[in-house]
C-alpha cells in the first residue's frame, strides 16, 4: 500500500490562460494547508519569510528528474499590509517539467507518490508524478472520484492504497535506471531571490551533485567529455573548498570532473586561478595533467553555477600542494 497526493489543476493556478492560449502569469500547483498534505511534502517554516525547498520530481511521461521550487508564501505572518496577505504553498511549474508546451491543463489531475532512490550510495526522496488528462478514461474517473469523496474539499485528496495504472507506469520508468537531472533556469532564478544565508539549506550531497552536473552540461569542466551508460557516468561533483574544510554544498562551490581529475584536484595536484585557468603543481610528473596547464576550464552558461572566486582562492591557498605534506591528506 502506498500514499498518493492527488491535485486537480485549476484555472487560476495555471496562469489564467487567455483566448490567445497563453498564460497571463506564472504557473504553479497550489497544495493544501491540510496537515496530511503538508506532511507529504518537505516541511517549511512559518517563521522564515517565503520558506522554500527544492522538489525533485520524476514525471512518468519523461523519466527525467526535474527540480521544481516548492515555496510557502507566508506574508501573513511577516507584517504584510496587503488586504489579503498570502498564506499558501505552491509547486512552481517550469519548462523542464512541461517542455515547450502547456502540458498541465485545467481539470487535469496530478498524482504524486514518494519514492526513496539510491544513486552512488546516496539516497534521496523523489516525487513520482503522473499527469492524467481530463479524457473521461476509467483511470481519470477513479482519481476524480477519490478527490470528490475526500472529506476536505478543495480539488485535492490523499489516497492510501494502490493505484494500479500509476504503478504500471512507475515500474516502467524506474526500470530504466535513467534519472539524469534537468534544471530549468527559472529554478535557479527563484533560488537567487532567497536570502543568501538560507540558500545553503536547499542543498545536500544529492542536490549538489545534480545541480553541478547540470551546470556543466553533464560534461567534465576540464576535458569537456564524459563516459556514460544510461544514468551512469564517470563524472563526479568535486567541492572546490572541501567539505572537510567547511565548504558548502552550494553549486558555485562545485566542479564537474571525471574521476581521475577529481582525485587529483582533491589532492592538490592542480588548482585554478582567479580567471579559471588550470595551474598544475610544478612537482607533478604527469604528461597527462600537464597538458591541461594554463588552459581555461569550461564556464557554465548560467551564472548561478560559475565557481565562486573566494572558494577558488581557498583551494589555491589551502589545498594546492597538500600532497607534499605527510599526514594531511
Amino acid at each position: 500500500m502506498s500514499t498518493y497526493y492527488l491535485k486537480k489543476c485549476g484555472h487560476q493556478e495555471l496562469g489564467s490562460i487567455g483566448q490567445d492560449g497563453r498564460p497571463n502569469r506564472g504557473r504553479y500547483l497550489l497544495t493544501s494547508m491540510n496537515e496530511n498534505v503538508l506532511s507529504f511534502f518537505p516541511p517549511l517554516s512559518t517563521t522564515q519569510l517565503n520558506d522554500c525547498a527544492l522538489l525533485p520530481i520524476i514525471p512518468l511521461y519523461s523519466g527525467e528528474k526535474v527540480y521544481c521550487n516548492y515555496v510557502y508564501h507566508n506574508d501573513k505572518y511577516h507584517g504584510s499590509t496587503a488586504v489579503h496577505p498570502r498564506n499558501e504553498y505552491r509547486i512552481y511549474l517550469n519548462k523542464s517539467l512541461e517542455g515547450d508546451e502547456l502540458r498541465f491543463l485545467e481539470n487535469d489531475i496530478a498524482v504524486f507518490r514518494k519514492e526513496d532512490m539510491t544513486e552512488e550510495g546516496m539516497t534521496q526522496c523523489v516525487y513520482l508524478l503522473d499527469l492524467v488528462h481530463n479524457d473521461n478514461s476509467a483511470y481519470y474517473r477513479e482519481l476524480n472520484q477519490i478527490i470528490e469523496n475526500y472529506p476536505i474539499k478543495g480539488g485535492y485528496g490523499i489516497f492510501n492504497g494502490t493505484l494500479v495504472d500509476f504503478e504500471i507506469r512507475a515500474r516502467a520508468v524506474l526500470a530504466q535506471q535513467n534519472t539524469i537531472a534537468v534544471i530549468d533556469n527559472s529554478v535557479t532564478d527563484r533560488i537567487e531571490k532567497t536570502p543568501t544565508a538560507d540558500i545553503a539549506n536547499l542543498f545536500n550531497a544529492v542536490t549538489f551533485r545534480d545541480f553541478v552536473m547540470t551546470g556543466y552540461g553533464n560534461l567534465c569542466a576540464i576535458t569537456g567529455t564524459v563516459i556514460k551508460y544510461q544514468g551512469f557516468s564517470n563524472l563526479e561533483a568535486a567541492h572546490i573548498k572541501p567539505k572537510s574544510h567547511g565548504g558548502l554544498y552550494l553549486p558555485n562551490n562545485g566542479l564537474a570532473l571525471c574521476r581521475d581529475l577529481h582525485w587529483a584536484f582533491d589532492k592538490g595536484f592542480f588548482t585554478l586561478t582567479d580567471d579559471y585557468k588550470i595551474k598544475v603543481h610544478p612537482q607533478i610528473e604527469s604528461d597527462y595533467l600537464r597538458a591541461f596547464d594554463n588552459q581555461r576550464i569550461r564556464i557554465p552558461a548560467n551564472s548561478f553555477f560559475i565557481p565562486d572566486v573566494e572558494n577558488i582562492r581557498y583551494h589555491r591557498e589551502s589545498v594546492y600542494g597538500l600532497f607534499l605534506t605527510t599526514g594531511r591528506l
Side-chain angles (χ1 to χ4, degrees):
M1 185 173 72
S2 300
T3 299
Y4 306 84
Y5 171 62
L6 285 63
K7 176 67 176 73
K8 182 178 285 188
C9 302
H11 175 72
Q12 182 172 336
E13 61 189 318
L14 293 183
S16 300
I17 307 299
Q19 293 183 351
D20 61 356
R22 303 179 64 180
N24 292 307
R25 60 183 68 86
R27 289 162 61 82
Y28 56 89
L29 295 180
L30 192 67
T31 64
S32 170
M33 302 292 290
N34 178 265
E35 290 184 3
N36 290 329
V37 176
L38 293 182
S39 64
F40 185 84
F41 292 106
L44 298 178
S45 171
T46 301
T47 60
Q48 182 174 319
L49 177 63
N50 297 331
D51 196 12
C52 58
L54 291 169
L55 211 62
I57 296 173
I58 298 181
L60 301 185
Y61 51 78
S62 72
E64 296 176 321
K65 184 197 296 183
V66 177
Y67 278 91
C68 293
N69 303 102
Y70 175 52
V71 183
Y72 177 25
H73 293 285
N74 53 19
D75 301 357
K76 177 179 179 179
Y77 301 101
H78 293 272
S80 173
T81 58
V83 177
H84 301 290
R86 293 196 296 178
N87 183 32
E88 60 186 27
Y89 292 78
R90 296 180 176 184
I91 300 172
Y92 281 91
L93 307 182
N94 55 58
K95 286 187 176 180
S96 294
L97 192 65
E98 295 201 272
D100 294 326
E101 59 181 311
L102 300 181
R103 185 181 290 272
F104 289 72
L105 304 175
E106 187 175 357
N107 291 323
D108 286 353
I109 297 177
V111 187
F112 293 88
R113 178 172 71 74
K114 289 189 282 190
E115 175 86 11
D116 287 333
M117 298 188 64
T118 300
E119 301 176 43
E120 298 184 10
M122 297 181 289
T123 300
Q124 179 187 41
C125 176
V126 302
Y127 291 81
L128 303 180
L129 165 66
D130 197 11
L131 182 62
V132 185
H133 296 301
N134 181 15
D135 57 5
N136 200 35
S137 64
Y139 184 27
Y140 181 88
R141 293 197 304 272
E142 176 188 11
L143 300 175
N144 194 51
Q145 194 65 52
I146 293 172
I147 292 173
E148 290 184 354
N149 292 342
Y150 197 65
I152 303 175
K153 303 306 176 184
Y156 68 91
I158 292 287
F159 176 72
N160 294 303
T162 301
L163 294 174
V164 175
D165 290 82
F166 183 102
E167 296 305 330
I168 291 173
R169 292 171 169 81
R171 283 197 296 270
V173 168
L174 295 176
Q176 296 175 5
Q177 295 184 323
N178 182 13
T179 56
I180 294 175
V182 182
I183 301 166
D184 191 78
N185 286 345
S186 66
V187 173
T188 56
D189 289 345
R190 189 170 292 276
I191 292 174
E192 289 181 320
K193 297 177 182 177
T194 303
T196 304
D198 300 323
I199 292 180
N201 295 328
L202 294 174
F203 294 94
N204 54 36
V206 180
T207 49
F208 173 74
R209 181 199 61 197
D210 286 345
F211 273 66
V212 169
M213 292 304 157
T214 299
Y216 288 89
N218 292 292
L219 296 173
C220 177
I222 293 177
T223 67
T225 62
V226 63
I227 300 172
K228 64 179 180 178
Y229 172 72
Q230 294 185 352
F232 303 97
S233 80
N234 69 330
L235 296 184
E236 297 177 337
H239 279 83
I240 299 172
K241 181 178 181 179
K243 192 73 175 63
S244 60
H245 292 216
L248 300 176
Y249 281 122
L250 289 173
N252 66 1
N253 187 37
L255 294 171
L257 295 177
C258 55
R259 295 187 178 189
D260 53 350
L261 291 177
H262 182 185
W263 176 84
F265 187 67
D266 284 352
K267 297 300 184 186
F269 286 10
F270 71 95
T271 189
L272 299 176
T273 64
D274 286 0
D275 56 353
Y276 306 111
K277 290 184 178 180
I278 299 164
K279 181 179 180 181
V280 179
H281 197 280
Q283 294 193 36
I284 292 300
E285 300 175 358
S286 168
D287 292 339
Y288 171 73
L289 201 55
R290 292 216 157 275
F292 301 114
D293 193 41
N294 207 38
Q295 290 188 20
R296 201 165 187 253
I297 65 169
R298 300 171 67 250
I299 303 298
N302 185 337
S303 61
F304 181 80
F305 300 100
I306 295 178
D308 179 72
V309 173
E310 290 303 315
N311 289 330
I312 288 176
R313 289 173 182 168
Y314 183 90
H315 186 277
R316 197 165 60 240
E317 295 167 3
S318 303
V319 180
Y320 180 59
L322 263 183
F323 64 92
L324 295 173
T325 307
T326 303
R328 292 187 62 187
L329 292 180

